[in-house]
Amino acid sequence: MDIKQLKFLIALDQTRHFGQAAALCHVTQPTLSMRLRNLEDELDLVLVTRGQRFEGFTEAGERILAWARTLLAAYDGLQAEAASCRGQIVGSLRLGMVPLSSINPMSFLTPLAQRYPELQFQLSSLSSEQVIDGLSRNQLDLGICYLDQINTAYFEVIELGSTSMGLLYDTRHFQFDQPELPWDQISDLPLGMLSKGMHYRQSVDLSFRSRGLYPKPVLESDSTYQLIQAICTGICCAIMPLNCGLDDLSEHIRIVPIASASVHAPIGLLLRRSEPRSALAEKCFAEVKALLDRP
């Protein structure tokens, strides 16, 4: 067994396609298939259900896949630790974050990238629960999520503040002259919203219900990108976080604050306290803290 075989297995899980997994790993499909069969022979297990094409993982394959992710995370951490001992900051920083908050991650990823040009970033859009789980399983290095469910005995936390909300719209389809909008005016507009059950959507629904308002969204999606597409075509407006950078995506997009609108739980940057945690994660956590502490 070697690291490449584990990378092939994870690539197959990511793509769910033998040819695409091979391309992702820069090998031929026969090579990838042969190495995976060698892994199955060594473990004396069938990991992959095969037909004319990839059909999924067996129950044993799913369990081995979880260990493969853990081993690869440890391998990456080892490489980052060795680089740190040489005075280098290299490798891939795995950051998971909730999809909507008043935090633009580029505000601290950009200076990190400028200071450490060999550093790479893997960004994942996740729920707070998924961020916590990813950090606990060492599948993420850092996380940005709501802090109402965080036990600080297990995580170091940099509080990033609360999330204020505004109405995001396209000036080609809507115009608002007020410095801020009341909730009752917003409830009468065609709205696009995140899917029910997501933390941010729950906060928006609570804000409406507490005022006796029950708007019916014209569009719901778990994708911020799809909401932005709908806004640009004039289908709807959307309640989005202030200062998150979405209004910089187009010259036609604007955001106007909503009166008394914020998510109750603050947002924070998290680093797992328990070992193993990579030197890369610790260094980047410290760098972000230093950036935020500057006057």
Side-chain angles (χ1 to χ4, degrees), residues 16-273:
R16 318 298 287 185
H17 188 280
F18 285 106
Q20 293 176 15
L24 186 63
C25 296
H26 307 290
V27 297
T28 64
Q29 183 172 332
T31 296
L32 180 133
S33 297
M34 179 189 68
R35 296 302 303 280
L36 289 179
R37 286 193 183 276
N38 290 344
L39 180 61
E40 290 177 318
D41 291 342
E42 183 175 346
L43 296 174
D44 194 22
L45 291 169
V46 177
L47 305 178
V48 179
T49 303
R50 297 172 175 85
Q52 294 292 333
R53 57 182 64 86
F54 174 78
E55 295 182 359
F57 291 96
T58 63
E59 181 180 350
E62 293 286 355
R63 295 173 67 176
I64 297 300
L65 188 62
W67 278 104
R69 293 193 190 100
T70 300
L71 288 171
L72 273 184
Y75 174 80
D76 291 341
L78 184 151
Q79 295 287 353
E81 192 74 34
S84 178
C85 291
R86 298 191 300 268
Q88 300 172 297
I89 298 296
V90 299
S92 185
L93 181 73
R94 301 164 301 167
L95 174 66
M97 64 178 297
V98 291
L100 290 177
S101 68
S102 289
I103 299 296
N104 183 350
M106 299 307 137
S107 63
F108 54 81
L109 293 187
T110 299
L112 282 176
Q114 291 172 343
R115 185 164 184 178
Y116 306 111
E118 294 183 81
L119 190 59
Q120 299 172 319
F121 303 94
Q122 295 179 22
L123 304 184
S124 301
S125 181
L126 305 168
S127 68
S128 289
E129 293 77 8
Q130 290 171 323
V131 169
I132 294 169
D133 184 65
L135 289 168
S136 300
R137 294 174 179 270
N138 202 23
Q139 295 172 357
L140 295 173
D141 297 308
L142 300 176
I144 296 176
C145 68
Y146 295 102
L147 299 181
D148 51 345
Q149 302 176 26
I150 300 303
N151 186 336
T152 53
Y154 299 108
F155 299 99
E156 293 186 41
V157 176
I158 300 174
E159 189 167 327
L160 301 175
S162 61
T163 295
S164 300
M165 295 183 280
L167 186 75
L168 195 72
Y169 66 97
D170 191 302
T171 56
R172 293 169 295 185
H173 309 289
F174 296 91
Q175 290 291 334
F176 302 98
D177 298 325
Q178 306 100 305
E180 64 177 20
L181 300 175
W183 283 98
D184 56 354
Q185 181 180 345
I186 292 170
S187 67
D188 295 329
L189 296 170
L191 293 175
M193 292 188 178
L194 285 179
S195 300
K196 291 179 179 178
M198 301 182 76
H199 194 294
Y200 186 84
R201 170 65 186 273
Q202 291 173 353
S203 294
V204 171
D205 286 344
L206 179 61
S207 295
F208 277 120
R209 286 198 307 270
S210 66
R211 294 168 173 83
L213 302 171
Y214 299 90
K216 294 183 178 179
V218 299
L219 183 146
E220 294 178 294
S221 175
D222 61 0
S223 166
T224 305
Y225 175 73
Q226 289 175 347
L227 289 177
I228 297 297
Q229 285 182 307
I231 290 169
C232 290
T233 57
I235 293 175
C236 61
C237 305
I239 299 171
M240 293 290 186
L242 297 174
N243 306 315
C244 66
L246 291 176
D247 49 327
D248 294 329
L249 296 177
S250 165
E251 61 179 321
H252 303 293
I253 293 181
R254 301 286 187 277
I255 190 165
V256 57
I258 301 171
S260 303
S262 64
V263 178
H264 175 69
I267 289 284
L269 179 70
L270 274 61
L271 171 68
R272 189 178 70 168
R273 289 188 184 276

